């Protein structure tokens, strides 16, 4: 199996209709088949080959991910002067997969059109973790509008289209920097359905994002829960599955219901929650006309929070950037935390700050390449 997979990797090349993926480093998707990158590989390195299952397979459209120890024979891969993402085969989608704290996305270079290269139905298939690439969503880097550098669109793994995604926009910023071959500190203006978002790549590779102002007015979140603090919903009773939860509602351009406890217990132990069971009941609750993301939060200190999230359209994920922002805003509104917090998510920590001087929320965290590849549509 290893020998066969290794041979496929050598024979296919980056512009073969079969899928060809390489383990990713910073410039992997710009020179995935260059002689220099092949020659530098060591026998202990692992690359990936994705192949079409043959037509006599039970599912001929499914994909199989194979790993192979790369030997010196990899140097036989034919060189190409065409950057990986610039190959133009018909019905082949080139992509780069990224993750932000385990929240993973398929990134597509869509700068030549304002229309996404694939449909939402195709996105669902690509996001499938058994018969596709596997991801929480597909993100498109489209041309900017209204004077912005770029436009972001995203299809969730269920085919729905959210206003934006916090972890996703960090990945998009890193993707853009690679497309532009930029080095060091860079910032971009991104048009989203949640408004203008400005990610900035830091010198250490982390991405800080100006997420703008939180939306607290109940009708704008939106929620049908009655406002109980000015026009916002703070520590409001919400009955779900026979339990009375204490909910604070925040929008970061997309709706969030933040839960710190129930009416009988002020402090949650988030690891004890059956998220798969209760998450959908919050998401589809009648009080949230646009559905909602739901964050369950445990407070360790005024500067240290822990959350688990059920994302609208994606389910339980390892991280949610807009959710972490909403959590800090809600914690401040409830008097549980200060304006600068570390928020621990299942995939790792984010640094969140809600600045009083301009009312903007800032999120800082990583975005990493996973691999590059091509997939037949």
């Amino acid at each position: 199996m290893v020998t066969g997979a290794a041979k496929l990797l050598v024979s296919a090349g980056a512009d073969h209709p079969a899928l060809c993926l390489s383990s990713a480093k910073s410039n992997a998707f710009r020179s995935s088949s260059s002689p220099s990158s092949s020659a530098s590989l060591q026998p202990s390195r692992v690359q990936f080959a994705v192949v079409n299952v043959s037509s006599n397979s039970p599912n001929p459209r499914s994909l199989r991910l194979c790993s192979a120890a790369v030997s010196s024979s990899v140097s036989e891969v034919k060189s190409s002067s065409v950057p990986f993402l610039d190959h133009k085969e018909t019905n082949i989608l080139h992509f780069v997969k990224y993750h932000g704290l385990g929240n993973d996305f398929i990134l597509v270079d869509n700068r030549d059109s304002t229309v996404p290269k694939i449909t939402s139905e195709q996105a669902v298939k690509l996001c499938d973790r058994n018969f596709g690439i596997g991801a929480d969503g597909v993100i498109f880097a489209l041309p900017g509008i209204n004077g912005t550098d770029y436009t972001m669109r995203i299809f969730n793994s269920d085919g729905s289209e959210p206003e934006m995604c916090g972890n996703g926009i960090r990945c998009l910023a890193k993707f853009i920097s690679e497309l532009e071959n930029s080095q060091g500190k860079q910032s971009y203006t991104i048009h989203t359905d949640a408004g203008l978002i400005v990610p900035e790549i830091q010198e250490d590779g982390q991405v800080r994002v100006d997420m703008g102002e939180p939306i607290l007015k109940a009708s704008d979140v939106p929620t049908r829960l009655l406002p109980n603090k000015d026009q916002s919903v703070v520590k409001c009773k919400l009955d779900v599955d026979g339990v009375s939860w204490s909910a604070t509602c925040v929008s970061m351009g997309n709706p969030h219901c933040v839960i710190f406890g129930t009416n009988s217990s002020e402090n949650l132990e988030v690891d004890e929650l059956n998220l798969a069971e209760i998450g959908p009941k919050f998401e589809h609750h009648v009080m949230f006309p646009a559905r909602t993301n739901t964050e369950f939060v445990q407070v360790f200190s005024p500067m240290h929070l822990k959350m688990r999230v059920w994302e609208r359209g994606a389910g339980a994920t390892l991280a949610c950037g807009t959710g972490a922002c909403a959590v800090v805003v809600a914690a401040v509104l409830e008097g549980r935390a200060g304006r600068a917090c570390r928020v621990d998510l299942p995939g790792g920590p984010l640094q969140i700050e809600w600045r009083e001087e301009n009312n903007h929320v800032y999120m800082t965290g990583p975005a990493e390449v996973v691999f590059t590849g091509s997939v037949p549509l």
Side-chain angles (χ1 to χ4, degrees), residues 177-220:
S177 73
E178 293 287 354
L179 292 175
E180 295 185 350
N181 196 20
S182 301
Q183 304 295 326
K185 195 169 185 177
Q186 300 288 331
S187 65
Y188 306 98
T189 55
I190 311 293
H191 173 82
T192 76
D193 283 346
L196 174 66
I197 305 294
V198 184
E200 181 180 78
I201 299 173
Q202 307 295 291
E203 294 291 350
D204 63 359
Q206 296 265 304
V207 184
R208 186 182 71 177
V209 185
D210 181 349
M211 301 287 286
E213 299 185 46
I215 299 167
L216 302 177
K217 185 178 179 181
S219 59
D220 293 338

Side-chain angles (χ1 to χ4, degrees), residues 33-51:
S33 59
S34 67
S36 61
S37 62
S38 299
S40 65
L41 291 172
Q42 301 299 318
S44 60
R45 289 285 303 277
V46 173
Q47 289 201 346
F48 301 91
V50 176
V51 299

Side-chain angles (χ1 to χ4, degrees), residues 225 236-247 263 281-282 285-288:
L225 290 169
C236 185
K237 178 181 176 182
L238 177 65
D239 293 325
V240 179
D241 200 26
V243 178
S244 183
W245 303 83
S246 179
N263 282 2
K281 296 175 182 178
F282 278 86
H285 199 285
V286 67
M287 288 299 173
F288 304 109

Side-chain angles (χ1 to χ4, degrees), residues 45-251:
R45 289 285 303 277
V46 173
Q47 289 201 346
F48 301 91
V50 176
V51 299
N52 290 326
V53 178
S54 63
S55 58
N56 59 4
S57 166
N59 188 346
R61 292 187 60 82
S62 67
L63 309 175
R64 183 174 298 152
L65 182 65
C66 308
S67 64
V70 177
S71 67
S72 59
S73 62
V74 173
S75 62
E76 299 172 21
V77 177
K78 295 180 179 180
S79 63
S80 171
S81 61
V82 182
F84 176 71
L85 288 174
D86 289 344
H87 289 279
K88 302 298 182 184
E89 302 93 337
T90 303
N91 297 324
I92 296 291
L93 179 73
H94 298 292
F95 67 90
V96 184
K97 184 172 176 179
Y98 280 77
H99 80 89
L101 299 179
N103 197 190
D104 56 345
F105 305 95
I106 299 163
L107 275 292
V108 177
D109 181 5
N110 215 118
R111 293 173 296 169
D112 58 349
S113 173
T114 59
V115 179
K117 291 184 185 294
I118 63 170
T119 66
S120 60
E121 292 78 13
Q122 288 172 312
V124 171
K125 294 178 180 179
L126 294 181
C127 289
D128 190 288
R129 296 189 183 277
N130 297 107
F131 299 109
I133 299 165
D136 292 321
V138 181
I139 296 175
F140 307 90
L142 295 101
I145 60 176
N146 299 327
T148 58
D149 297 324
Y150 294 92
T151 295
M152 172 188 187
R153 287 187 64 180
I154 176 172
F155 292 143
N156 282 326
S157 57
D158 71 349
S160 61
E161 183 172 1
E163 297 84 355
M164 67 89 62
C165 172
N167 287 313
I169 205 160
R170 295 200 316 276
C171 293
L172 178 60
K174 280 292 193 72
F175 182 55
I176 290 169
S177 73
E178 293 287 354
L179 292 175
E180 295 185 350
N181 196 20
S182 301
Q183 304 295 326
K185 195 169 185 177
Q186 300 288 331
S187 65
Y188 306 98
T189 55
I190 311 293
H191 173 82
T192 76
D193 283 346
L196 174 66
I197 305 294
V198 184
E200 181 180 78
I201 299 173
Q202 307 295 291
E203 294 291 350
D204 63 359
Q206 296 265 304
V207 184
R208 186 182 71 177
V209 185
D210 181 349
M211 301 287 286
E213 299 185 46
I215 299 167
L216 302 177
K217 185 178 179 181
S219 59
D220 293 338
V221 170
T223 178
R224 295 191 179 103
L225 290 169
L226 296 178
N228 60 352
K229 184 176 181 181
D230 297 327
Q231 299 183 67
S232 59
V233 173
V234 179
K235 297 183 71 172
C236 185
K237 178 181 176 182
L238 177 65
D239 293 325
V240 179
D241 200 26
V243 178
S244 183
W245 303 83
S246 179
T248 293
C249 296
V250 178
S251 172

